[in-house]
Amino acid sequence: MVFSSLVFLLGFLPALLLVYFLIPARFRGLRNLVLLGASLFFYWWGASKLVLLMVLSILVNYLGGLLAGQADRRLARFGVIFASVVGLGLLGWFKYAGFLAQTIHDLGFAIPIPQVTLPIGISFFTFQGLSYVIDVYRGDAPIQKNPLNVALYVALFPQLVAGPIVRYTTVMAEIAHREENLPEFASGVTRFCFGLAKKMVLANSMGQIADGVFNQTAANLDPGLAWVGALAYTFQIYFDFSAYSDMAIGLGKILGFHFPENFRYPYCAKSVTEFWRRWHITLGTWFRDYVYIPLGGNRVSRLRWVCNICLVWCLTGLWHGAGWNFLLWGLFYALLLLGEKLWYGAFLQRNPGIGHLYLLLSVVLGFVLFNAETLAQAFQDFKTMFGGSSLPFFSKESLYALRTNGVLLLFSILGATPLPARLYGRGKKVFQWMEPVLLALLLFICTAYLVDGSFNPFLYFRF
């Protein structure tokens, strides 16, 4: 089940809110139980029997947390090791077993290649559960002895399958004592509706353009059209993922939770370093706090520090997917970040215009690699984009694509900046009465898109 579906919008969400708010707020435990049951049902709808994996993850992290908070440090370390080995072991099997076996097979070893179904959102809920156990071990979070509270933290449906990755300390007080109120409910509905519109109108439109370009054979793809496809995919993945985060944050507010922001207009950055402070913020924070800093961060020798950066970004790439293109994508950003820190970062700060162009070019090229199914396809796409084609740079097809999609691309450029939010905020102060009308109109448009169309993927569900 996805947020941008009629089943969710017209069935699951209204039914849940009706039951949830019919229960008096003083019966917090019962509200939490309803929310937990709805969250497990939400996951079962899309994952079927793999919901048992979610239940196992909850049990492992609950037990790991109980052990990690013990005064006996050997027992506490065992709790962290237990949760890490089981959690990361399950993630490794379901996400990477096929890739590893295929790699070994390609090297000439005749081994069977397992056909494993990837559970939706396993990377997200695995990292979230582990952060709880590690924080308990460090003393940053108290032991949660109520298994239902741990279960609700891990399985909470708004951010279950595509983030944001929420720390337990962020929501532990709200699990037990949150206050749902009308202003927060209205704010949550607004955030959800704008996220839904961003997904249905912008992300899906950009996705159709990108698929139309990259589904063509290399012989029919001229450089101009390849750049149009690359730009469309760059906008698609931003609007797709940030829209899901918007909807998750909005749903959280409706239910009394406050999730962290996950995106802050990353395409407005003027360096790769700044970009990763704005893009998928909760993932970057997770790797910083649980991998980079424990490795020593930058408080080590220069060689060790370079190794730390490369390792963290290799893991970041592989977190996104089991493939050589994801590994190279991570290394690509590691090299850019090292270049900025060691050589040209100060130059970019002094020349923000050049820095912004450099950032956009880096991101577009990075997402071409990210999107490719094979390394050969990625290199072919790069070759085409930089003129390695027998076709002219702009053919009739690429000029037609620009003419027909120019308005959408322009709206996407504007939508990736703070300008629409600022205009909306100013207009809201003057025309407060128009907000319900605008939200109703957005919902009507999105519902029409859902009824009329079938193209509605969420890219980050596969991670």
Side-chain angles (χ1 to χ4, degrees), residues 93-161:
W93 169 255
F94 282 99
K95 192 164 185 175
Y96 304 106
F99 168 64
L100 181 60
Q102 183 66 59
T103 301
I104 296 172
H105 185 275
D106 291 342
L107 291 173
F109 299 93
I111 64 170
I113 300 172
Q115 301 300 313
V116 183
T117 300
L118 180 65
I120 300 172
I122 187 172
S123 300
F124 287 93
F125 67 73
T126 298
F127 273 28
Q128 187 156 306
L130 275 179
S131 73
Y132 160 69
V133 177
I134 296 171
D135 283 352
V136 170
Y137 175 77
R138 291 175 173 177
D140 296 334
I143 298 174
Q144 177 51 255
K145 296 182 179 180
N146 185 340
L148 295 181
N149 285 358
V150 175
L152 183 58
Y153 162 67
V154 174
L156 192 58
F157 81 89
Q159 41 75 231
L160 170 60
V161 293

Side-chain angles (χ1 to χ4, degrees), residues 20 28-37 149 152 175-176 178:
Y20 183 85
R28 176 60 55 201
L30 185 54
R31 278 192 173 185
N32 282 352
L33 192 61
V34 167
L35 192 52
L36 174 60
N149 285 358
L152 183 58
I175 288 176
R178 66 189 175 277

Side-chain angles (χ1 to χ4, degrees), residues 57 226 272 345 412:
S57 178
V272 170
S412 296

Side-chain angles (χ1 to χ4, degrees), residues 234-247:
T234 300
F235 284 121
Q236 179 196 7
I237 197 167
Y238 167 66
F239 288 124
D240 185 275
F241 193 17
S242 66
Y244 192 95
S245 292
D246 287 338
M247 288 187 276

